[in-house]
Amino acid sequence: MTDSLVLSNLVELMQQGIRSADPRCPGAIFQLMPGYSFGNPVPDQSIIASMSGDGEIPWGDRASNRTHVVPVGISAPSRDIVIAAREVLVAMVDRPQWLMTWRRDNSPDTVFECFRATTSVIHYDTRYEKQNVGTLTLTFPAKPYARSSTYEVLAFANSPSDGPSDAPSPITIDNYATVTGTNWSQEVFS
């Protein structure tokens, strides 16, 4: 098996020769081209002037979204299918939210939670289209940090997941059996 990049669980890149089964573009092959970037989380911090001398202190712990740039090459049995495959891909990343999965050999999948593409640049060239190939570059934001496709349950010593244990006895602070003072009354709920 070799690494692959899967867009929206439908289009597989990096697997050379995987033909699309999508009825809108049957037989199209999508390939990741050189120059792709998964981007980086962008630290979003405020600068606070130091009260004890010169300098500033970067403050904050949130990060803004990362930007992915994914150039894609398409080859297909006909020019019409190349054009259709290109439009299928552009429409796929134009949804409000979708997933991109990076599958690596002998490792858990890495999932990027992506958002609507900001730019999809289609490289129009009739010479290439007549040879049944085309290219485009997708640019889209994703959450700043990727996640694994599998989850691991962690067990800690003396945790409730270690097995059944007797709960501690409750401690009564006030049972409110008596009410004193004016404008107060006792009500019993059942």
Side-chain angles (χ1 to χ4, degrees), residues 32-49:
L32 183 65
M33 303 298 285
Y36 66 91
S37 171
F38 291 159
N40 294 308
V42 179
D44 189 5
Q45 54 195 8
S46 300
I47 302 295
I48 299 174

Side-chain angles (χ1 to χ4, degrees), residues 130-177:
K130 288 180 180 180
Q131 297 174 33
N132 302 335
V133 294
T135 60
L136 68 151
T137 302
L138 306 172
T139 304
F140 51 88
K143 285 188 176 180
Y145 304 109
R147 63 177 172 83
S148 174
S149 63
T150 58
Y151 296 98
E152 182 177 341
V153 178
L154 302 176
F156 297 96
N158 300 325
S159 72
S161 63
D162 286 342
S165 63
D166 294 334
S169 301
I171 300 172
T172 303
I173 296 173
D174 190 345
N175 64 4
Y176 300 99

Side-chain angles (χ1 to χ4, degrees), residues 116-137:
R116 185 177 188 190
T118 55
T119 308
S120 295
V121 178
I122 298 173
H123 308 285
Y124 293 100
D125 192 329
T126 54
R127 289 179 303 150
Y128 290 123
E129 286 179 7
K130 288 180 180 180
Q131 297 174 33
N132 302 335
V133 294
T135 60
L136 68 151
T137 302

Side-chain angles (χ1 to χ4, degrees), residues 3 6 19 22 31 38 40 66-67 74-75 114 127 136 152 159 163 174 185 188:
D3 288 5
V6 181
R19 296 191 178 279
D22 190 320
Q31 296 178 339
F38 291 159
N40 294 308
R66 60 174 61 205
T67 301
I74 302 170
S75 60
C114 304
R127 289 179 303 150
L136 68 151
E152 182 177 341
S159 72
D174 190 345
S185 65
V188 177

Side-chain angles (χ1 to χ4, degrees), residues 104-119:
R104 298 170 296 152
D105 290 338
N106 305 317
S107 296
D109 293 349
T110 301
V111 177
F112 296 95
E113 296 179 45
C114 304
F115 303 102
R116 185 177 188 190
T118 55
T119 308

